[in-house]
Amino acid sequence: MALDHQEAFNIEYWLLEEAKLKRMPAEKPLSRRIAIITGAAGGIGKAIADKLADHGANVVLTDMAEDRLIEANSSYKPDVSSYAVCNVSSETDIEEAYKVACLEFGGVDIVVHCAGLAISKPLSEHSMTDWNLLQDVLVKGQYLMAQKGAAIMRKQGIGGDMVNIASKNGLVAGPNNVGYGSAKAAQQHMTRLLAAELASDQIRVNTINPDGVIIGSKIWEGKWAEGRAKANNITVEELPEFYAKRNLLHKIILPEDIANGVFAVVAILDKTTGNMINVDGGMATAFPR
Amino acid sequence: MELKTFKHVDYLWDETTASQLAGDEIALFLYRSNILGTDLRITNFGGGNTSCRTIEKDPLTSEETEIMWIKGSGGNLGSLKRDGVAGLYVDRLHALKNIYRGLEFEDEMVQLYQHCIFDLDSRAPSIDTALHGLLPFKHIDHLHPDALIAIAAAKNSREITHEIWGDEMGWVPWQRPGFDLGMQLEKCQKENPGIRGIILGGHGLFTWGDTSYDSYINSLEVIEQASEFIEEHLGKERPVFGGFKIDSLVQEQRKEQAALLAPVLRGLTSEENRMIGHFRDDEVVLDFINSHDLQALAPLGTSCPDHFLRTKIKPLVLDLAPDADLTDSDKVKEQLVPAFQQYRSDYQAYYQKHKHADSPAIRDANPVVILYPGVGMFTFAKNKQTARVAG
Ligand SMILES: [Zn+2]
């Protein structure tokens, strides 16, 4: 038995139903949007995913280790998140991750490339393996995420956002940083190139430059921290304080601060593209010119 | 207590948990509601409601009076808590019969339920309040089980009901929930005092019991019997949904095609408002969308009223071969746009034709449910949960 059309209409446009719709809580700034975040199982990437999800977005988390992804994914309420194991230097991995976004939520609106690693060595000690790894994850990963993401955004035809997490080190010639700094600079310039190319599709591309995020960041575990400590003639334990004192505001920079930067360019600064925002407590050497 | 076994529903009553709630009828009714709502075969998300009665002291007269506690407006049985419940005087609900003015004045009754409130912290009483309130039972379940909807929506629903339950089950024809439907339920039960429940044509089920447990078991048994009947008769007279018209792709290819097409569909359905999508390609969905009857069935819309509220009057069936080449999205879009335009103008015509002077403004004219034969079903809504429950 199917409903008579008039009866169906009477239910659909019932005044009491309309009143119920009017009572629904207002939608959040990022509701109806789908974000994919690389490196999202922990640290800055997870903080970004949390921020976007808090403001209503659906999030697709990608990272290398499935167990950490499962744990991260389980921190959200049902119908908010999904995940894909993804090595960002692999074209097929990235295609699979986007497939998850398309099947789970229908497509993608926001691409955040946050996957990263840091290697700090002087030129004489820097190996080809180091160089290739940095280029693969930071530069090639960003390029592939942008290429595959833009293809989906163009299919939808409703614009989109890309946010690349680079670093102060792409702007400042820090000590013993040839591989990492070069890769970060490449990420920053790719942002500008893509912003120019994708603007006609209403796709905005921006960079966030974190600096000195120690607490909660995977990058600071192990060798990198040691390298940074050594390069600055201090101990690893002294690093957070050292980094806070180093910036103009003397602030310790947390993963949530970087997430706020992403939120700002995605949800608030909706007429900004090709830009970069430093989230570093203020570093005169890194002021963009 | 004998252990019941069910094949088509989850029996979740845990005596240890329940015994800790013994004596607290409201707690037992909430417990039952939660385990009923956990199994989506028993009721759809957000659908159905439950109630119980207690005797309380009226604060104005100090006299004992019967109070009905019922799931309030909105909310979901699976997560129903004390604050999601409305408490109303049963005698006042019955008194409303004296001032009820008829079908045209249904909407004013909802305001009057407010005057029947006993518990000042009540959630707003729902439209279904009278359906429970005029029946004389301590514990009542109103559910939308898949199996029952299949029977309630069948052309010969009344005959099937009689075939399965004989004189033990009442039946009332489809009518929009409201005070009048409540009076019909009351009449049906009074005329057939031995019944264990009532089937609402085109809608769902009412079942009841003396205790929360009795009501729970009664509901489960009725759903189990309905499910068995459907299983037995499935495809006997004629193949379900008219037999298979086209074959599905294998799962991997279905996902491949769906992933390629989803962003195109999302773009088209987001023409007015950005949408979030959901995709299903399980057996139930494929049986339906691959069938001979699809072209005939789909335009009729869904049968269950509260389901229909989320799905719109009809789905959009894509005229696209399962293995169509979807790599050139511009070409695909070009192919699909006319069907979307047709859907939107049909919806606008439907609105214009049926609207009343005081009807709310027309809502988004884009399809919610999009069927791709051989591949699966896409649903689009304002968020993932709404898209999921529309499917
Ligand atoms: Zn109902």
Side-chain angles (χ1 to χ4, degrees):
Chain A
M1 186 201 79
L3 290 170
D4 157 63
H5 278 202
Q6 184 64 57
E7 186 65 12
F9 179 89
N10 293 347
I11 295 175
E12 189 176 350
Y13 283 91
W14 200 350
L15 292 173
L16 294 172
E17 282 297 332
E18 176 75 2
K20 219 192 259 179
L21 289 175
K22 291 235 166 79
R23 280 200 303 270
M24 296 256 190
E27 289 189 40
K28 294 179 176 175
L30 294 178
S31 78
R32 300 170 183 260
R33 296 229 242 164
I34 305 153
I36 188 166
I37 303 110
T38 66
I44 295 174
K46 177 66 165 54
I48 293 169
D50 288 351
K51 182 82 187 175
L52 300 181
D54 266 359
H55 286 84
N58 285 111
V59 292
V60 178
L61 317 173
T62 87
D63 213 309
M64 304 270 276
E66 184 158 27
D67 53 340
R68 293 176 64 234
L69 274 172
I70 290 171
E71 198 192 321
N73 189 46
S74 69
S75 71
Y76 300 100
K77 287 194 187 130
D79 296 324
V80 170
S81 66
S82 190
Y83 73 89
V85 180
C86 175
N87 175 343
V88 291
S89 66
S90 153
E91 196 169 354
T92 45
D93 276 13
I94 286 183
E95 279 169 355
E96 287 301 313
Y98 276 118
K99 212 193 253 182
V100 169
C102 291
L103 290 174
E104 283 294 316
F105 303 114
V108 73
D109 304 296
I110 300 166
V111 176
V112 183
H113 182 49
C114 184
L117 75 154
I119 297 169
S120 165
K121 287 180 186 175
L123 182 61
S124 56
E125 289 168 29
H126 216 287
S127 71
M128 260 335 279
T129 315
D130 296 335
W131 175 265
N132 286 337
L133 187 60
L134 288 164
Q135 287 291 320
D136 275 354
V137 175
L138 302 176
V139 186
K140 188 172 155 194
Q142 180 174 308
Y143 160 77
L144 287 172
M145 284 302 290
Q147 189 180 48
K148 310 289 174 192
I152 294 173
M153 290 175 183
R154 281 175 163 150
K155 276 193 195 183
Q156 297 173 149
I158 47 176
D161 269 281
M162 295 186 186
V163 184
N164 298 315
I165 309 303
S167 166
K168 175 209 74 177
N169 293 296
L171 295 170
V172 175
N176 299 338
N177 221 2
V178 61
Y180 184 76
S182 303
K184 285 297 178 186
Q187 282 187 272
Q188 287 161 347
H189 196 53
M190 198 193 305
T191 290
R192 301 182 190 105
L193 293 162
L194 292 174
E197 185 173 338
L198 300 176
S200 57
D201 289 297
Q202 295 297 314
I203 299 169
R204 302 185 300 114
V205 193
N206 291 289
T207 295
I208 300 294
N209 290 325
D211 184 53
V213 179
I214 299 178
I215 296 157
S217 168
K218 212 179 104 194
I219 274 186
W220 288 91
E221 292 160 11
K223 289 246 163 20
W224 168 265
E226 277 170 40
R228 289 288 87 195
K230 201 170 146 198
N232 290 290
N233 280 321
I234 53 167
T235 66
V236 174
E237 291 70 38
E238 287 169 322
L239 276 172
E241 198 63 9
F242 172 79
Y243 273 89
K245 284 219 175 101
R246 216 172 55 153
N247 65 53
L248 293 168
L249 299 171
H250 290 186
K251 298 285 188 203
I252 293 177
I253 311 300
L254 301 170
E256 297 80 73
D257 299 318
I258 313 309
N260 286 339
V262 174
F263 177 74
V265 293
V266 169
I268 301 169
L269 303 175
D270 59 359
K271 289 171 190 168
T272 290
T273 191
N275 227 317
M276 70 179 147
I277 293 185
N278 292 345
V279 182
D280 57 5
M283 305 284 285
T285 49
F287 288 164
R289 273 171 284 267
Chain B
M1 189 179 305
E2 73 178 291
L3 206 63
K4 309 269 181 179
T5 53
F6 295 92
K7 204 176 122 201
H8 300 278
V9 283
D10 293 336
Y11 175 85
L12 297 173
W13 189 277
D14 175 42
E15 200 39 47
T16 320
T17 310
S19 65
Q20 285 160 1
L21 309 172
D24 185 345
E25 289 305 305
I26 297 175
L28 284 164
F29 134 77
L30 290 173
Y31 175 60
R32 171 177 94 252
S33 306
N34 294 158
I35 57 178
L36 284 170
T38 305
D39 185 345
L40 290 180
R41 293 168 298 183
I42 292 178
T43 206
N44 55 332
F45 185 89
N49 33 58
T50 45
S51 67
C52 77
R53 313 259 167 115
T54 60
I55 301 296
E56 306 288 338
K57 196 153 94 177
D58 187 327
L60 296 179
T61 63
S62 290
E63 272 168 36
E64 307 249 286
T65 183
E66 187 175 29
I67 303 300
M68 174 176 77
W69 305 91
I70 181 169
K71 186 190 112 171
S73 189
N76 177 38
L77 283 184
S79 55
L80 184 66
K81 292 191 189 71
R82 182 65 185 77
D83 64 3
V85 171
L88 305 104
Y89 291 95
V90 174
D91 57 354
R92 291 197 195 175
L93 284 171
H94 277 279
L96 291 178
K97 283 184 276 188
N98 301 326
I99 53 157
Y100 176 59
R101 296 198 285 161
L103 280 174
E104 279 160 64
F105 304 96
E106 281 287 354
D107 290 3
E108 73 185 19
M109 299 309 284
V110 177
Q111 294 306 313
L112 293 173
Y113 296 155
Q114 300 282 351
H115 289 279
C116 303
I117 283 179
F118 164 82
D119 175 16
L120 299 179
D121 295 327
S122 284
R123 175 69 60 97
S126 86
I127 197 74
D128 287 347
T129 300
L131 279 56
H132 290 247
L134 303 184
L135 286 169
F137 301 105
K138 286 220 176 76
H139 290 268
I140 301 176
D141 297 331
H142 165 49
L143 305 165
H144 303 148
D146 293 340
L148 255 300
I149 285 171
I151 288 167
K155 223 181 272 162
N156 51 344
S157 169
R158 185 169 214 153
E159 287 72 42
I160 297 175
T161 300
H162 195 262
E163 190 180 338
I164 303 176
W165 294 285
D167 295 333
E168 287 197 335
M169 187 67 70
W171 188 90
V172 298
W174 154 255
Q175 184 172 304
R176 188 153 34 125
F179 199 78
D180 189 75
L181 185 60
M183 293 198 299
Q184 288 190 39
L185 291 181
E186 182 187 26
K187 181 163 170 268
C188 175
Q189 194 276 328
K190 268 191 182 147
E191 288 170 357
N192 309 279
I195 55 176
R196 68 189 300 184
I198 298 173
I199 300 221
L200 307 182
H203 178 169
L205 173 71
F206 264 85
T207 31
W208 47 73
D210 247 359
T211 66
S212 192
Y213 181 76
D214 288 351
S215 193
Y216 181 68
I217 289 297
N218 189 15
S219 298
L220 258 52
E221 279 176 0
V222 168
I223 299 166
E224 182 79 5
Q225 286 156 354
S227 308
E228 275 168 10
F229 178 88
I230 288 171
E231 197 176 59
E232 241 170 71
H233 290 75
L234 200 69
K236 240 183 209 171
E237 270 116 72
R238 57 189 302 227
V240 196
F241 302 130
F244 295 155
K245 185 178 175 189
I246 55 159
D247 292 326
S248 291
L249 299 175
V250 298
Q251 195 190 31
E252 199 172 312
Q253 286 173 304
R254 294 200 299 270
K255 302 263 190 247
E256 195 75 43
Q257 291 291 78
L260 281 169
L261 192 60
V264 176
L265 298 178
R266 180 167 183 248
L268 290 167
T269 57
S270 298
E271 178 225 31
E272 285 183 54
N273 302 291
R274 197 179 288 256
M275 296 295 175
I276 296 291
H278 179 67
F279 175 70
R280 263 183 77 178
D281 64 344
D282 50 275
E283 214 176 309
V284 181
V285 163
L286 291 172
D287 280 357
F288 175 64
I289 61 172
N290 295 350
S291 75
H292 277 298
D293 286 353
L294 180 61
Q295 295 298 335
L297 282 174
L300 298 176
T302 42
S303 307
C304 184
D306 76 317
H307 189 69
F308 148 78
L309 266 175
R310 306 195 182 92
T311 58
K312 288 227 172 85
I313 186 86
K314 64 176 181 183
L316 173 63
V317 183
L318 298 180
D319 185 15
L320 205 57
D323 57 354
D325 181 3
L326 303 176
T327 45
D328 183 347
S329 61
D330 287 339
K331 231 174 79 189
V332 175
K333 237 183 258 181
E334 211 171 284
Q335 208 177 331
L336 296 181
V337 161
F340 274 80
Q341 283 168 341
Q342 183 67 45
Y343 190 97
R344 292 171 195 140
S345 65
D346 284 354
Y347 186 78
Q348 279 145 5
Y350 154 84
Y351 176 85
Q352 292 303 335
K353 185 168 171 210
H354 300 294
K355 70 171 178 184
H356 307 284
D358 60 348
S359 287
I362 188 166
R363 303 200 189 107
D364 197 314
N366 285 284
V368 172
V369 181
I370 301 173
L371 307 178
Y372 184 178
V375 176
M377 170 172 67
F378 301 87
T379 44
F380 288 92
K382 65 172 182 173
N383 57 39
K384 174 73 174 174
Q385 191 211 68
T386 314
R388 188 166 51 70
V389 300

